[in-house]
Amino acid sequence: MDLAYLHIVTNHIPIIGVPFALFLLVLGIWRKSDELKSASFLFFAFLGIATLVVYLLGQGGEDFVEELAGVSHDAIENHEDFAKIALATVIGLALLSAFALIRYRGLQILKRRYSQKLLNGNVLEITGSYFPKWIVFSVLALAFTSIAVLGYTGKLGGMIRHTEFYSGVVTSENEENNSEQDKTDREQKDTEKESEKGRGRGRNRGKN
């Protein structure tokens, strides 16, 4: 139960985090800021680790949830299948972002170590970006893909009934089953009473 609860609590980290990091990246592209791009790449790298933790928590809590009444096993399987795709896309996004930081000196940008050059005795900052366009737009495309897959995975997860966190509360399905069972029991008792009355009348006639 603890793992299932932690999965529900933490699964919003990648769902909310990836769009936020994407916003930083788009802002960095618009403002031509390598600092913002580096910040978004760092955030994507962190989200890769966080998404892996969320996935493992979901795997750990699956066995507990499957034993609960009123839980759709098909919904669990669908959610798990798309969770694997979501994990793969976010991990790929994290690895590509980490590569961009390591390969193109993004960490130095965060420390404000700008490259400089001399021109006619004056010190000028190099205005070109550390990050080539192909890697920036590759991360951008992969981030959009991750958002779409994460959103659909979250929707599938919402279709699973998490009744384990509401002890003492009877689900509507259980209530319906119980009402049908009570109705059947009452009908059976009424039938038994009618049979008893019929046998009693038969005994009285035999005595007369």
Side-chain angles (χ1 to χ4, degrees):
M1 175 177 177
D2 291 339
L3 293 178
Y5 177 76
L6 289 174
H7 176 69
I8 293 177
V9 172
T10 58
N11 65 12
H12 297 89
I13 295 176
I15 293 176
I16 298 175
V18 173
F20 178 76
L22 177 60
F23 169 76
L24 290 179
L25 180 58
V26 172
L27 189 62
I29 295 172
W30 178 56
R31 298 185 61 179
K32 298 180 180 180
S33 170
D34 279 347
E35 293 166 311
L36 287 174
K37 294 174 187 175
S38 297
S40 68
F41 291 159
L42 278 176
F43 204 179
F44 282 135
F46 163 76
L47 288 170
I49 300 173
T51 304
L52 177 61
V53 173
V54 172
Y55 177 80
L56 294 176
L57 289 173
Q59 290 292 304
E62 179 182 359
D63 293 337
F64 177 80
V65 176
E66 285 181 338
E67 300 300 325
L68 299 175
V71 171
S72 173
H73 294 278
D74 291 338
I76 293 176
E77 293 298 325
N78 292 335
H79 178 60
E80 182 179 6
D81 291 340
F82 271 89
K84 294 176 182 177
I85 300 175
L87 176 64
T89 56
V90 178
I91 290 294
L93 176 61
L95 291 176
L96 185 59
S97 299
F99 170 78
L101 288 173
I102 296 171
R103 172 64 179 81
Y104 300 103
R105 298 181 295 176
L107 295 178
Q108 293 183 9
I109 294 175
L110 290 181
K111 297 178 181 178
R112 295 182 179 276
R113 295 180 182 175
Y114 295 98
S115 298
Q116 296 178 338
K117 65 179 181 179
L118 289 174
L119 182 63
N120 297 328
N122 297 321
V123 178
L124 300 175
E125 290 184 353
I126 296 176
T127 57
S129 172
Y130 278 122
F131 304 108
K133 290 183 178 180
W134 73 266
I135 200 165
V136 173
F137 286 98
S138 295
V139 172
L140 187 70
L142 196 53
F144 276 112
T145 303
S146 298
I147 289 174
V149 178
L150 285 169
Y152 190 68
T153 303
K155 179 182 178 181
L156 292 176
M159 298 173 65
I160 303 173
R161 302 180 61 182
H162 297 288
T163 57
E164 67 272 22
F165 306 126
Y166 302 92
S167 58
V169 179
V170 181
T171 63
S172 59
E173 183 176 338
N174 289 337
E175 290 176 348
E176 181 179 353
N177 292 335
N178 290 336
S179 62
E180 292 179 356
Q181 184 64 39
D182 291 340
K183 182 179 179 180
T184 302
D185 293 341
R186 286 194 299 269
E187 292 176 351
Q188 185 176 358
K189 289 180 180 179
D190 293 339
T191 302
E192 292 176 352
K193 289 180 180 179
E194 291 295 332
S195 298
E196 289 291 336
K197 290 179 180 179
R199 287 194 294 267
R201 295 193 193 98
R203 287 194 294 268
N204 292 333
R205 292 194 191 98
K207 292 179 181 179
N208 294 332

